[in-house]
Amino acid sequence: MSGRKVGIGITISVVAVAALIGAGIRYAVDFQQKPAQSGISGTVKSSGIARIGGAFSMADHKGRQVTDRDFLGKFMLISFGYTYCPDICPTELQTMSEALDALGEQADKVQPVFATIDPERDTAAVLADYLSNFHPRFMGLTGTATQVADIARTFGVYYSKVKSQNAPGQDKDYLMNHSAYMFLMDGNGKFRAAFRAGIAHDGMVRRIRDELAK
Amino acid sequence: MRFLSLALVAMLSLAAHPAAASEFKIGSLTVETPWSRATPGKARSGVVYLTISNQGNAPDKLMSISTSVAKRAEIHRSQMKDGMMTMDSIGALTLRPSSSVLLRPGGLHVMLMGLLAPLKRGGSFDMTLKFEKAGSLTVKVAIEKIGASAPTRPH
Ligand SMILES: [Cu+2]
């Protein structure tokens, strides 16, 4: 493993640990009734380096069952969010789309993926409609609450429903807090890079090119 | 002479705003290029971005926002907290003299909650900003595509 990869691993794990602490507090404050909603447990190994990626089983935006094995052989650029998110998520998907456009022919080696952390509202059909606004090769992932919690845990992604001030428990307009990273995985399903929300697409493109060349 | 000065003003403003940005003024405040993003399916929240400049010598405050397209409009800030992206309502927005506040993707934004109908790309809607001192100003918000990072259409 190169020095750079180790560095990123540590950065991610620091974030994950901080998040674990923060999420613990939020957990106590925000959603006493919904522990299953947060994909926070098991993201940090005893070594202190978070493991990103692993086995998952989800449905794609066309309703087909897929697993992590279906993504092997190609790089995967995956972000987590929800379609009702007006500010951050569309920005991320736009950045990913622009990065793929800028990659030119090399874009064929990368599968862009948007995985929802809000399966309650983001059905396959909702995802398909949403993703039609972005790169044409985008794949959406959704599933049961458990499947989503599992894939989120696999990637060290955590999320929580924001409690509504108006009508607790029955508000369909709820917002979500969630990790806003985009992950680059290689053809063997191994973690290569994480990008923060707000990164410009050209920085992402450089890194993807580097990783493809390795 | 009058014509000349008008022409001069027109030329100057053209030079300052090559993209022919939309601009709304009240007192010493200018609201520039309010724009929004189309919303997907049944999503009930939307977003508005704009720039507010205070050219005066005294501070002012953006107190509240209203629009007929949503039940509520709040000023929000997206920020990373404990590794999670959160959006917090920040109440009133202070406008310092001789400075601008930028509302743009990934940071400060106007959050539209309880949208009454999806926002369609290419459309527009009115939104009223209430300032503590300057009073109320209604601006026209242009709807861009989902995921747009900046306003694109000339208005
Ligand atoms: Cu918001």
Side-chain angles (χ1 to χ4, degrees):
Chain A
M1 199 183 231
S2 74
R4 184 151 69 171
K5 274 186 221 158
V6 173
I8 286 161
I10 290 166
T11 309
I12 294 286
S13 75
V14 166
V15 167
V17 169
L20 219 53
I21 297 162
I25 296 162
R26 182 170 298 110
Y27 172 81
V29 175
D30 269 3
F31 37 78
Q32 282 95 338
Q33 297 113 344
K34 289 230 165 190
Q37 286 292 323
S38 100
I40 54 169
S41 55
T43 56
V44 182
K45 279 178 77 187
S46 53
S47 68
I49 293 179
R51 269 187 82 154
I52 312 271
F56 62 80
S57 170
M58 297 283 279
D60 74 6
H61 62 289
K62 291 178 177 160
R64 298 174 298 210
Q65 297 304 307
V66 292
T67 73
D68 53 296
R69 305 204 58 79
D70 295 310
F71 293 89
L72 299 181
K74 243 186 197 186
F75 273 62
M76 170 167 71
L77 183 62
I78 182 169
S79 81
F80 291 79
Y82 64 112
T83 68
Y84 283 34
C85 164
D87 184 43
I88 296 296
C89 307
T91 305
E92 284 197 349
L93 295 195
Q94 183 64 26
T95 304
M96 290 164 74
S97 300
E98 284 168 9
L100 284 161
D101 286 343
L103 277 170
E105 281 180 13
Q106 283 186 301
D108 294 344
K109 298 175 183 161
V110 182
Q111 176 62 51
V113 178
F114 177 68
T116 184
I117 43 87
D118 182 19
E120 200 178 313
R121 294 181 301 192
D122 286 344
T123 60
V126 167
L127 281 179
D129 175 55
Y130 182 63
L131 292 174
S132 69
N133 295 288
F134 300 99
H135 195 278
R137 285 200 301 103
F138 248 109
M139 184 181 260
L141 294 180
T142 185
T144 64
T146 311
Q147 284 177 315
V148 168
D150 285 347
I151 190 174
R153 192 182 309 117
T154 297
F155 281 86
V157 165
Y158 26 86
Y159 55 97
S160 68
K161 221 184 239 192
V162 178
K163 210 168 67 179
S164 160
Q165 299 108 321
N166 289 348
Q170 43 182 309
D171 188 353
K172 285 270 173 207
D173 302 344
Y174 59 87
L175 298 170
M176 309 278 297
N177 291 334
H178 59 95
S179 308
Y181 290 100
M182 295 157 274
F183 301 102
L184 182 67
M185 314 298 290
D186 69 16
N188 298 316
K190 271 178 61 185
F191 170 75
R192 290 291 193 94
F195 305 100
R196 251 173 188 275
I199 188 176
H201 80 269
D202 45 354
M204 184 183 258
V205 167
R206 269 196 303 274
R207 184 61 192 269
I208 294 173
R209 284 221 165 96
D210 283 357
E211 294 299 332
L212 282 170
K214 276 182 192 167
Chain B
M1 187 59 202
R2 184 178 156 75
F3 169 78
L4 199 68
S5 63
L6 273 178
L8 199 64
V9 167
M11 271 166 67
L12 282 175
S13 61
L14 213 65
H17 306 282
S22 57
E23 220 179 66
F24 305 85
K25 282 175 182 283
I26 186 164
S28 52
L29 302 179
T30 305
V31 174
E32 256 178 278
T33 331
W35 64 283
S36 179
R37 285 170 169 171
T39 55
K42 291 185 218 140
R44 301 247 295 154
S45 41
V47 77
V48 178
Y49 305 107
L50 45 81
T51 300
I52 310 174
S53 306
N54 181 0
Q55 286 107 342
N57 304 317
D60 205 338
K61 256 185 192 169
L62 175 56
M63 303 302 290
S64 63
I65 300 170
S66 61
T67 171
S68 60
V69 302
K71 282 194 213 153
R72 277 186 299 145
E74 296 175 353
I75 306 157
H76 276 200
R77 188 193 301 275
S78 291
Q79 57 187 334
M80 202 72 120
K81 258 193 208 162
D82 314 320
M84 274 211 257
M85 198 50 98
T86 62
M87 288 193 294
D88 297 312
S89 174
I90 62 159
L93 186 65
T94 301
L95 307 164
R96 287 196 309 258
S98 307
S99 56
S100 299
V101 178
L102 272 66
L103 280 71
R104 57 183 178 190
L108 281 172
H109 55 275
V110 177
M111 184 83 168
L112 307 176
M113 331 255 304
L115 277 181
L116 302 174
L119 300 178
K120 299 254 186 257
R121 181 183 187 177
S124 68
F125 57 89
D126 284 353
M127 188 173 83
T128 301
L129 311 173
K130 213 171 139 198
F131 299 100
E132 188 180 45
K133 291 177 189 148
S136 288
L137 176 65
T138 297
V139 301
K140 193 174 174 192
V141 181
I143 307 170
E144 306 285 351
K145 65 172 259 191
I146 295 176
S149 49
T152 50
R153 294 176 305 125
H155 301 282

